[in-house]
């Protein structure tokens, strides 16, 4: 890709962010909401996007970075296609969810919060999804899996891995 | 568009006239719990089946919010007799339609079976889980479609707003709230009426009201359920409050982890605007008010009022010292009244029924009802509402159905990371704000977590500290550094490195953090440690002195063994062990090699003969 093409593409991306900022009328107090939309768009917050937001909203980069690194909803590195969330809320923890997390970590060979090299899976422990009757609960994408055990979690994961290799 | 109180009354009357009380209905719970178990499929199948059999005129099917009995989801109620079906699958729908809707018969296997009497229960109100409750805030949760404002209006919704705005002065509203004895249901328990009055009297033309739906406590989901199931009750409370206080703009701060709550609240706000309950000149009394939703960023500390305010302003959610309270200087330095969403939902009840009615229920200084999410090692996990002052024992055994597998109850944790553990000996304790605080715990945002004999209290304390050190915003030293040091000590104890002096040091650190942290969350953070040290000292001693975990939880202190008389040599554990730590020939006794074993417990889960134990 030559430099000219690259700059055209970056301008395209800037345009998307302009649109988001515009929808909040450039309000400084909308910083978190704007970052949430950028996170939705890219699955994480690219550094160039943070810099661009800082410039456009006239908020110092240190403050933008502060907010981006403060809240759990934001991520500064790319995330996997499949987000695996394991609940470590009290009800799930008491029913053994930390062992479920451990089984998934072993299966994928990554730790909590990390993403597999092929950008397929990200493991993210969460502190309560508010679905305590399903404890221990695991959520992959939008699908809930209830009453998890390490063995069942491994099986679910293998199923998804198998399916995804087909496409 | 409803322009006057008379028009609202007329609309409610016409809705009630249109509705035939004898018409059959199907109500399917689509709260997060039931939805996760496939209730949307169940609802769709009902709709399809009703259409296929041309029953639309006879039967109305609709989605409702959380009924509370999440353990038994998906929950379906068939009216008008309120027949209660539990754990319903899409494949059951056909039978329910042909038997119950068309012929008035029960589908026996879907009825709830009372675990003590063994009898099948046919109607929702007879299920012991519901029978023992007093549902006020949650009263309409399973009855109305949260995405349809007309459902809320039909059950008397927005009548309290009409009454307040047309018949009561702002002073009278605040007097009523004060007299009702309502206290903040988000955890702190500050008298709501007094808060409102301070905010009303604070100087400044621009004021704000905020609904706090940033339910961060792990193990609590009452705010989520209410926002999902009855969003208009929260809006109505906020509109009345804003009118009394003199605010024209409101915010609802909601956890991003609650997508359904966010969706239902947004629908409710749009509909309330469309009907004229929000916007300009509400009900023609010259009062303007609007509500905006702010999606939280996933930080526990944002449940604290000044941190929440910072977050709405688009900054890091760090609390500030409260020499000046948010009621005087909050959002953008304007007087700001913040209440939990459950507190807001109480307001229409108080306005409609009167302060005396509200205060009739409850104890001396804690009036009304308390909402808890009853979770953990309890048979009936779910959302419950009981009068303030109900003994813990009654909540856990009569509503919650006791502890599974006949195990012994060890403790009850309330108040999330800010609360503490109450031991089994104190289960007669009546639950209210002050009694819980006296016992070393607190009401918190309504999580009630039951722990059985297989729960290690040292590990529980370590668990909450781990949560808190991650969530600490880092602004003040006692919380940021103190919690970390306590966590190190506790981790050492659970890993067999405990020293004699550790317990004294923990106590000292805990008291320091309590006294010197900046915000309420920091000050209450050592509660779990303090309460477990107070009630479960022996268990700490066993870890420190004998290097033993009596509950069999702490990995470094336990060993898995296979019982000779129970092992059949089936090989199930051997195949699943990730460490190849189990050896044995088929049909002969298997043995675990403790040097290879990582104590993951997979073998114990897999053993069909319960032959693997923890020592």
């Amino acid at each position: 890709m030559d430099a000219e093409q690259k700059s055209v593409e970056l301008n395209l991306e800037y345009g998307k962010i302009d649109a988001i900022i515009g929808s909040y009328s450039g309000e400084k107090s909308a910083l978190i909401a704007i970052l949430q939309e950028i996170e939705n768009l890219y699955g994480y917050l690219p550094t160039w996007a943070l810099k661009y937001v800082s410039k456009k909203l006239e908020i110092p980069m240190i403050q933008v970075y502060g907010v981006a690194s403060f809240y759990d909803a934001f991520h500064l590195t790319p995330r996997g296609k499949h987000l695996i969330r394991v609940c470590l809320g009290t009800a799930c923890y008491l029913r053994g969810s930390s062992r479920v997390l451990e089984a998934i970590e072993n299966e994928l060979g990554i730790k909590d919060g990390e993403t597999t090299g092929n950008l397929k899976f990200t493991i993210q422990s969460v502190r309560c999804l508010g679905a305590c009757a399903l404890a221990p609960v695991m959520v992959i994408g939008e699908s809930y899996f209830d009453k998890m055990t390490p063995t069942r979690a491994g099986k679910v994961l293998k199923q998804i891995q198998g399916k995804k290799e087909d496409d | 568009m409803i322009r006057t109180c008379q028009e609202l009354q007329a609309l409610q009357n016409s809705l009630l006239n249109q509705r035939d009380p004898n018409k059959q209905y199907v109500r399917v719970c689509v709260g997060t719990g039931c939805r996760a178990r496939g209730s949307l499929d169940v609802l769709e199948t009902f709709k399809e089946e009703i259409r296929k059999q041309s029953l639309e005129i006879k039967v109305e099917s609709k989605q409702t919010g959380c009924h509370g009995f999440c353990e038994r989801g998906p929950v379906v109620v068939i009216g008008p007799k309120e027949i209660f079906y539990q754990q319903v699958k899409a494949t059951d729908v056909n039978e329910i339609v042909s038997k119950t809707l068309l012929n008035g018969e029960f589908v026996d296997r879907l009825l709830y079976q009372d675990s003590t009497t063994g009898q099948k229960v046919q109607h929702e109100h007879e299920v012991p889980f519901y029978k023992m409750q007093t549902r006020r805030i949650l009263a309409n949760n399973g009855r109305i479609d949260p995405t349809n404002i007309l459902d809320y209006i039909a059950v008397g919704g927005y009548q309290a707003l009409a009454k307040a705005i047309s018949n009561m002065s702002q002073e009278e509203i605040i007097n009523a709230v004060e007299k009702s004895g309502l206290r903040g249901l988000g955890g702190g328990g500050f008298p709501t009426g007094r808060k409102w009055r301070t905010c009303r009297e604070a100087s400044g033309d621009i004021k704000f009201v905020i609904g706090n739906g940033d339910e961060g406590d792990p193990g609590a989901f009452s705010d989520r359920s209410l926002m999902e199931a009855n969003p208009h009750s929260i809006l109505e409370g906020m509109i009345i409050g804003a009118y009394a206080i003199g605010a024209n703009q409101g915010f609802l701060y909601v956890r991003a982890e609650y997508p359904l709550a966010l969706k239902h609240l947004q629908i409710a706000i749009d509909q309330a605007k469309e009907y004229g309950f929000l916007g300009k000149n509400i009900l023609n009394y010259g009062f303007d008010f609007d509500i905006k939703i702010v999606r939280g960023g996933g930080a526990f500390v944002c449940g604290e009022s000044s941190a929440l305010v910072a977050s709405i302003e688009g900054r890091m959610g760090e609390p500030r010292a409260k020499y000046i309270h948010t009621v005087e200087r909050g959002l953008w330095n304007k007087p700001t009244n913040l209440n939990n969403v459950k507190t807001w939902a109480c307001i229409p009840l108080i306005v409609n029924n009167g302060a005396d009615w509200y205060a009739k229920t409850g104890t001396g200084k804690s009036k009304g009802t308390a909402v808890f999410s009853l979770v953990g090692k309890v048979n009936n996990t779910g959302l419950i509402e009981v009068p303030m002052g109900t003994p813990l024992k009654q909540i856990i055994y009569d509503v919650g159905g006791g502890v599974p597998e006949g195990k012994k109850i060890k403790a009850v944790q309330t108040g999330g990371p800010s609360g503490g553990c109450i031991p089994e000996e104190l289960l007669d304790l009546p639950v209210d704000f002050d009694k819980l605080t006296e016992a070393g715990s607190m009401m918190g945002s309504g999580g009630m977590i039951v722990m059985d004999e297989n729960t290690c209290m040292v590990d529980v304390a370590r668990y909450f500290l781990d949560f808190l050190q991650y969530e600490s915003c880092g602004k003040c030293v006692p919380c940021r550094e103190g919690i970390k040091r306590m966590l190190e000590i506790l981790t050492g104890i659970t890993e067999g490195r405990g020293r004699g002096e550790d317990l004294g040091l923990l106590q000292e650190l805990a008291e320091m953090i309590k006294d010197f942290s900046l915000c309420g969350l920091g000050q209450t953070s050592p509660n779990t440690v303090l309460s477990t040290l107070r009630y479960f000292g022996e268990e700490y001693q066993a870890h420190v002195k004998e290097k033993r975990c009596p509950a069999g939880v702490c990995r470094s202190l336990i060993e898995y063994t296979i019982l000779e008389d129970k092992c059949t040599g089936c090989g199930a554990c051997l195949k699943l062990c990730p460490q190849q730590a189990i050896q044995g020939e088929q049909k002969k006794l298997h043995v675990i090699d403790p040097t290879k074993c990582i104590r993951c417990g997979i073998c114990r889960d897999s053993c069909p003969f319960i032959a693997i134990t923890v020592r």
Side-chain angles (χ1 to χ4, degrees):
Chain A
M1 193 187 295
D2 58 34
E4 196 183 330
Q5 199 182 342
K6 215 171 183 176
S7 96
V8 169
E9 278 188 12
L10 203 55
N11 277 335
L12 252 165
E13 300 304 317
Y14 284 153
K16 288 180 196 163
I17 290 173
D18 281 334
I20 292 172
I21 293 174
S23 69
Y24 290 94
S25 329
E27 278 274 348
K28 279 187 195 194
S29 66
L31 177 63
I32 294 174
I34 289 168
L35 294 183
Q36 276 168 341
E37 292 210 16
I38 298 175
E39 168 97 20
N40 282 347
L41 191 62
Y42 297 103
Y44 77 111
L45 296 175
T47 313
W48 62 261
L50 291 180
K51 284 184 184 159
Y52 191 68
V53 169
S54 156
K55 197 174 103 190
K56 279 281 166 179
L57 288 181
E58 293 172 8
I59 298 175
M61 181 62 181
I62 188 170
Q63 218 171 308
V64 175
Y65 186 82
V67 166
S69 57
F70 184 87
Y71 293 100
D72 272 0
F74 301 130
H75 306 90
L76 300 169
T77 48
R79 315 239 293 156
K81 187 172 159 202
H82 302 282
L83 177 62
I84 303 171
R85 288 185 292 170
V86 180
C87 183
L88 290 186
T90 321
C92 286
Y93 181 78
L94 287 183
R95 292 188 186 178
S97 65
S98 56
R99 297 197 294 130
V100 174
L101 175 64
E102 194 182 86
I104 295 170
E105 286 176 337
N106 289 340
E107 181 71 36
L108 294 175
I110 50 170
K111 289 277 164 206
D112 180 17
E114 295 178 352
T115 302
T116 51
N118 57 8
L119 288 183
K120 269 201 172 160
F121 294 99
T122 298
I123 308 177
Q124 183 80 63
S125 67
V126 285
R127 310 287 180 147
C128 203
L129 293 161
C132 308
L134 313 173
V137 58
M138 171 172 93
V139 183
I140 302 183
E142 308 263 293
S143 318
Y144 284 72
F145 299 90
D146 64 344
K147 311 235 153 142
M148 278 290 118
T149 63
T151 327
R152 282 190 61 201
K155 278 184 195 156
V156 170
L157 214 56
K158 282 209 176 84
Q159 263 176 13
I160 292 177
Q161 277 171 319
K163 228 191 268 169
K164 294 306 150 193
E165 266 146 33
D166 295 341
D167 51 80
Chain B
M1 186 83 175
I2 304 289
R3 279 179 213 91
T4 61
C5 299
Q6 291 73 24
E7 279 183 36
L8 175 63
Q9 191 57 57
L11 175 63
Q12 191 200 0
N13 291 344
S14 88
L15 285 170
L16 291 177
N17 286 338
Q18 279 164 30
R19 290 186 185 197
D20 172 7
N22 296 318
K23 185 173 173 176
Q24 287 189 304
Y25 61 77
V26 177
R27 288 181 188 146
V28 181
C29 174
V30 297
T32 294
C34 285
R35 187 176 282 235
R37 288 186 169 149
S39 68
L40 283 180
D41 266 358
V42 173
L43 179 65
E44 270 320 300
T45 319
F46 263 115
K47 287 198 165 150
E48 209 181 290
E49 200 58 38
I50 287 168
R51 203 168 35 233
K52 257 198 237 158
Q53 307 210 22
S54 312
L55 295 170
E56 290 107 321
I57 301 162
K58 264 182 76 185
V59 185
E60 178 196 24
S61 58
K62 71 173 166 195
Q63 57 166 335
T64 69
C66 182
H67 289 236
F69 204 1
C70 311
E71 185 73 38
R72 296 292 172 152
V75 165
V76 173
V77 175
I78 311 279
K81 285 187 184 156
E82 301 208 327
I83 298 162
F84 182 76
Y85 288 139
Q86 36 122 45
Q87 295 178 327
V88 178
K89 291 189 217 56
T91 46
D92 297 321
V93 169
N94 206 320
E95 195 178 346
I96 297 176
V97 172
S98 60
K99 274 195 175 163
T100 310
L101 287 176
L102 291 174
N103 289 314
E105 295 165 19
F106 296 110
V107 181
D108 215 45
R109 76 190 138 81
L110 298 174
L111 292 172
Y112 176 75
Q113 187 172 18
D114 188 328
S115 54
T116 42
T117 62
Q119 290 216 321
K120 295 270 176 142
V121 181
Q122 288 151 350
H123 304 103
E124 188 169 26
H125 58 270
E126 295 162 355
V127 176
F129 176 78
Y130 291 110
K131 208 158 66 179
M132 313 304 292
Q133 297 189 44
T134 304
R135 294 195 148 217
R136 286 181 172 181
I137 303 170
L138 306 177
N140 288 319
N141 258 21
R143 300 181 184 281
I144 57 172
D145 178 347
T147 61
N148 184 354
I149 192 172
L150 294 177
D151 258 26
Y152 184 65
I153 293 174
V155 297
Y158 290 109
Q159 292 290 351
L161 170 65
K163 182 177 169 187
I165 211 166
S166 66
N167 273 333
M168 296 167 85
S169 70
Q170 291 155 313
E171 190 60 29
E172 279 169 333
I173 298 170
I174 294 182
N175 280 343
V177 175
E178 257 177 353
K179 206 171 147 210
S180 74
L182 174 65
R183 292 169 68 175
L185 296 173
F190 191 83
T192 308
R194 201 193 308 165
K195 198 184 230 181
W196 285 24
R197 185 176 298 285
T198 322
C199 193
R200 176 171 151 73
E201 287 168 0
S203 58
D205 297 338
I206 299 172
K207 291 175 185 176
F208 298 109
V209 293
I210 301 177
N212 186 352
D214 191 48
E215 188 173 43
D217 289 9
F221 58 90
S222 51
D223 295 355
R224 168 180 71 65
S225 290
L226 183 66
M227 290 186 283
E228 283 175 9
N230 196 354
H232 284 289
S233 65
I234 301 165
L235 301 189
E236 188 177 1
M238 285 179 74
I239 303 166
I240 297 169
Y243 170 70
I245 290 163
N248 300 106
Q249 179 65 51
F251 294 90
L252 262 163
Y253 191 88
V254 184
R255 267 184 107 194
E257 285 90 337
Y258 290 170
L260 192 63
L262 282 159
K263 185 175 153 199
H264 285 183
L265 282 169
Q266 191 58 58
I267 294 173
I269 289 175
D270 293 344
Q271 289 178 344
K273 274 184 196 162
E274 193 187 316
Y275 277 79
F277 301 121
L278 284 174
K280 298 261 177 239
N281 194 15
I282 293 167
L283 296 175
N284 207 20
Y285 279 87
F287 169 58
D288 304 339
F289 182 62
D290 205 351
I291 299 178
K292 221 166 113 179
I293 293 180
V294 178
R295 210 151 54 108
F300 171 68
V301 67
C302 287
E304 200 274 347
S305 61
S306 62
L308 188 149
V309 161
S311 184
I312 295 182
E313 291 174 5
R315 295 184 286 121
M316 284 192 276
E318 286 179 339
R320 60 164 176 80
K322 290 199 190 148
Y323 310 115
I324 302 165
H325 288 278
T326 43
V327 278
E328 281 159 44
R329 245 193 264 165
L331 201 54
W332 293 294
N333 283 326
K334 307 290 181 205
T336 303
N337 186 90
L338 180 137
N339 284 123
N340 173 271
V341 288
K342 290 183 297 244
T343 316
W344 285 120
C346 286
I347 302 300
L349 298 173
I350 293 169
V351 170
N352 274 332
N353 302 298
D356 293 333
W357 168 85
Y358 188 84
K360 241 190 322 198
T361 309
T363 58
K365 282 185 179 165
S366 302
K367 300 298 185 193
T369 52
V371 178
F372 288 106
S373 40
L374 189 58
V375 303
K377 303 286 184 74
V378 64
N379 277 316
N380 301 336
T381 294
L383 189 66
I384 63 157
E385 185 174 355
V386 291
M388 292 275 183
T390 307
L392 268 177
K393 202 174 237 164
Q394 207 175 321
I395 296 177
I396 292 158
Y397 287 99
D398 297 344
V399 183
V403 181
E405 298 163 34
K407 290 212 170 115
K408 236 186 101 195
I409 183 168
K410 187 167 181 178
V412 178
Q413 208 276 351
T414 66
S418 307
C421 296
I422 298 157
E424 195 260 339
E425 308 91 82
L426 296 183
L427 284 192
D428 288 321
L429 188 83
V431 173
D432 70 17
F433 287 105
D434 308 304
K435 285 285 190 293
L436 282 174
T437 309
E438 272 168 41
S441 185
M442 68 182 287
M443 187 74 91
S445 80
M448 183 177 278
I449 296 137
V450 182
M451 300 171 173
D452 69 0
E453 53 193 298
N454 291 0
T455 311
C456 169
M457 302 314 290
V458 184
D459 184 58
V460 166
R462 191 203 56 77
Y463 165 80
F464 279 112
L465 284 184
D466 185 41
F467 174 87
L468 287 159
Q469 69 95 24
Y470 179 79
E471 295 292 349
S472 171
C473 80
K475 185 171 179 175
C476 75
V477 179
C479 172
R480 182 183 69 225
E481 299 300 326
I483 293 176
K484 214 163 215 150
R485 297 292 89 80
M486 282 210 294
L487 177 62
E488 278 169 10
I489 296 170
L490 270 172
T491 307
I493 294 176
T494 57
E495 288 177 356
R497 289 180 277 112
R499 300 165 305 169
E501 64 266 33
D502 279 352
L503 302 187
L505 192 56
L506 268 180
Q507 182 87 28
E508 203 181 310
L509 270 168
E511 278 161 19
M512 182 277 296
I513 296 169
K514 194 174 177 172
D515 288 343
F516 297 110
S517 288
L518 181 64
C519 77
L521 292 178
Q523 288 153 16
T524 53
S525 64
N527 273 352
T528 321
V529 173
L530 286 169
S531 66
T532 47
L533 278 171
R534 174 169 159 193
Y535 297 119
F536 299 94
E538 277 176 32
E539 204 165 339
Y540 276 92
Q541 292 293 352
H543 282 73
V544 174
K545 286 193 181 146
E546 302 160 42
K547 309 288 178 223
R548 187 170 65 84
C549 174
V553 173
C554 299
R555 282 192 183 185
S556 308
L557 308 176
I558 56 168
E559 202 167 89
Y560 281 86
T561 42
I562 300 177
L563 296 172
E564 204 178 328
D565 54 329
K566 284 199 175 154
C567 177
T568 63
C570 71
C573 57
L574 186 146
K575 268 181 240 141
L576 286 170
C577 177
Q579 299 295 309
Q580 283 89 45
I582 302 177
Q583 283 171 343
E585 284 174 41
Q586 261 213 328
K587 300 201 173 156
K588 281 186 185 158
L589 175 67
H590 285 32
V591 189
I592 301 173
D593 179 352
T595 57
K596 282 189 187 166
C597 174
I598 56 163
R599 296 159 188 97
C600 68
I602 288 177
C603 55
R604 189 167 59 157
D605 296 338
S606 69
C607 180
F609 306 100
I610 319 169
I612 299 177
T613 58
V614 181
R615 272 200 299 229

